[in-house]
Amino acid sequence: MGIFDKLRNEFIDIIEWTDSSNDTLVYRFERHQNEIKNGAKLTVREGQMAVFVNEGQIADIFEPGMYTLNTENLPILSTLKGWKYGFNSPFKAEVYFVSTRNITAQKWGTKNPITLSDNRFGMFEIRAFGTYVLKVDDPKVFLREIVGTDGHFTTEEIAEQLKSLIVTRFTDAAGEAEFPVEAFASNLNELSEFIAEAIGPDFAEYGIKITKFLVENVSMPEEIKKEIFELSRLNAIDLNKLAQMKAAKAMEKAAENPSGTAGAGMGMGMGFAMANQMGNAFSQGQQPQAQQQQPSQATPPPIPPALTFHVVINGQQAGPYDMNTLKQMASQNQFTRETLVWREGMANWAAANTLSELDNIFGSVPPPIPGQ
């Protein structure tokens, strides 16, 4: 190496940084004790800013473009160096390139569940996770507050600190937002915007801006989910149909109970009591939307089937006959108190006078004429 080559290597005349990574936020231009030549060329590409630092003090900041370094575009550095009338000799200064482009696919999530309170569901826990996009918005603040003298600063070095900050602010904001519990799962866009606005000032203190913040999922206990789904159905269906469905389910369960009729009666009672309670609740201002638009008409219960009996006449089974036919037969002495009868549900034939259902028939028939 000749003497002239050695002298050329002592001076830097081109300053630039080609970023080939996806996570580098700050890169310090390597000069290895070399001095920057007067009139050196500085190239700052789109998505970058260059910051000159003199003995620990931040001096001049350059936006994207090509520059020839001189006193005019280094006013702060000129003051620090004492260049009152310009300079002609090389100088030493640290040059930091700061990436100002969006750094995507940054993940955050709650390591531990967050406890919230709701007027309807009481205390419950949720977990949340999502992604965010960040960029350096103020290189001067970012260098002073975060980077320091680190010559190669990546997102990995600040990721955990940012995650902790996000989770802390998410917890505070979620509690202060007073969102109904169902909103955490059904209004993720609104929740994301609210949280992004809440954490913005904290990131600004580090010279960082959150350009996109997403809450991708909010999980909660299964029992809370079931209650939310039930509540949403109540707001969408007809109250009368709901009462009928509840009563039918109660009767089905009662029918499975060995206690038989008593169980069925209890099931019906529970079903109608439940229907009445829900009816009272909705009458206090929480009517389903379908009822507000067109009130449903009350439906009468089905007509019970006519009561009929099989009878034994002259040793032969006859019928079945309804109550009116039996009255006519009794008036003609074809049907008496001693006549054997049977209806569905009876285990054996029985005399007519042993069944309370038939008392009215014989009460309406005049007794036999005396002496006949």
Side-chain angles (χ1 to χ4, degrees):
M1 178 182 296
I3 184 66
F4 294 104
D5 293 331
K6 183 177 180 181
L7 289 174
R8 266 198 304 271
N9 289 335
E10 292 294 329
F11 307 119
I12 297 173
D13 55 7
I14 297 177
I15 304 173
E16 63 180 352
W17 173 48
T18 303
D19 183 12
S20 59
S21 68
N22 294 321
D23 62 349
T24 301
L25 292 175
V26 175
Y27 173 79
R28 183 174 59 205
F29 182 75
E30 297 295 340
R31 59 185 180 84
H32 303 295
Q33 302 298 323
N34 293 341
E35 295 182 327
I36 300 174
K37 188 173 70 171
N38 176 29
K41 301 296 182 181
L42 170 67
T43 300
V44 183
R45 290 174 171 79
E46 291 293 336
Q48 298 177 354
M49 294 186 77
V51 181
F52 279 68
V53 178
N54 178 67
E55 297 179 358
Q57 288 184 277
I58 295 177
D60 301 285
I61 300 177
F62 293 84
E63 296 183 349
M66 296 186 66
Y67 304 87
T68 298
L69 300 180
N70 51 46
T71 307
E72 294 180 358
N73 53 29
L74 291 170
I76 300 177
L77 187 62
S78 297
T79 300
L80 295 176
K81 291 290 188 180
W83 298 330
K84 296 181 180 179
Y85 307 104
F87 71 101
N88 295 313
S89 61
F91 64 94
K92 289 185 179 182
E94 293 179 317
V95 182
Y96 290 86
F97 284 92
V98 180
S99 174
T100 58
R101 61 186 176 84
N102 285 315
I103 307 297
T104 62
Q106 302 301 300
K107 300 182 181 298
W108 67 273
T110 55
K111 295 180 180 179
N112 301 309
I114 300 172
T115 302
L116 298 177
S117 177
D118 187 89
N119 293 333
R120 295 161 298 169
F121 304 102
M123 304 293 290
F124 63 96
E125 293 181 336
I126 65 170
R127 292 178 181 269
F129 64 85
T131 59
Y132 64 98
V133 180
L134 67 85
K135 65 179 296 185
V136 176
D137 189 53
D138 190 331
K140 184 175 181 180
V141 174
F142 186 65
L143 283 174
R144 183 178 65 243
E145 300 294 334
I146 300 296
V147 179
T149 59
D150 193 334
H152 187 217
F153 192 87
T154 65
T155 55
E156 184 178 356
E157 297 179 61
I158 196 176
E160 289 302 318
Q161 182 178 353
L162 295 182
K163 286 179 185 178
S164 298
L165 179 60
I166 289 174
V167 172
T168 300
R169 293 296 178 258
F170 176 86
T171 303
D172 294 340
E176 296 172 0
E178 297 183 353
F179 281 129
V181 60
E182 59 269 22
F184 284 96
S186 60
N187 298 286
L188 294 182
N189 286 335
E190 291 78 1
L191 182 61
S192 298
E193 293 175 0
F194 184 86
I195 302 301
E197 184 176 350
I199 65 178
D202 294 293
F203 278 77
E205 293 180 1
Y206 298 138
I208 302 173
K209 181 179 181 180
I210 297 295
T211 59
K212 193 71 174 179
F213 183 86
L214 296 175
V215 180
E216 295 182 0
N217 183 61
V218 176
S219 61
M220 59 190 66
E222 288 299 321
E223 59 270 18
I224 297 295
K225 285 184 180 179
K226 291 179 180 179
E227 292 186 30
I228 293 174
F229 294 154
E230 184 71 16
L231 180 63
S232 65
R233 284 194 292 268
L234 287 177
N235 291 329
I237 64 177
D238 183 84
L239 180 59
N240 287 332
K241 292 181 180 179
L242 176 65
Q244 292 173 8
M245 179 187 71
K246 294 290 186 181
K249 287 184 177 181
M251 293 178 66
E252 289 177 2
K253 292 182 179 180
E256 298 172 358
N257 193 321
S259 59
T261 305
M266 182 178 297
M268 292 178 64
M270 291 174 61
F272 287 118
M274 187 180 300
N276 289 334
Q277 290 177 0
M278 288 190 295
N280 292 334
F282 279 103
S283 66
Q284 296 176 1
Q286 297 182 357
Q287 292 289 343
Q289 187 67 23
Q291 281 192 306
Q292 292 178 0
Q293 296 175 354
Q294 184 176 358
S296 58
Q297 299 296 327
T299 304
I303 300 174
L307 191 61
T308 60
F309 287 87
H310 294 265
V311 300
V312 176
I313 300 176
N314 297 326
Q316 299 293 325
Q317 177 181 329
Y321 301 115
D322 58 21
M323 301 299 286
N324 290 331
T325 303
L326 292 177
K327 284 183 179 181
Q328 294 177 3
M329 293 172 63
S331 65
Q332 299 172 6
N333 291 326
Q334 295 177 354
F335 181 69
T336 67
R337 297 176 183 275
E338 289 76 21
T339 301
L340 295 177
V341 298
W342 180 89
R343 63 171 173 77
E344 186 177 355
M346 294 176 58
N348 296 300
W349 291 85
N353 61 0
T354 63
L355 300 179
S356 59
E357 298 98 319
L358 300 176
D359 289 346
N360 292 335
I361 292 179
F362 299 108
S364 62
V365 177
I369 299 174
Q372 293 187 1

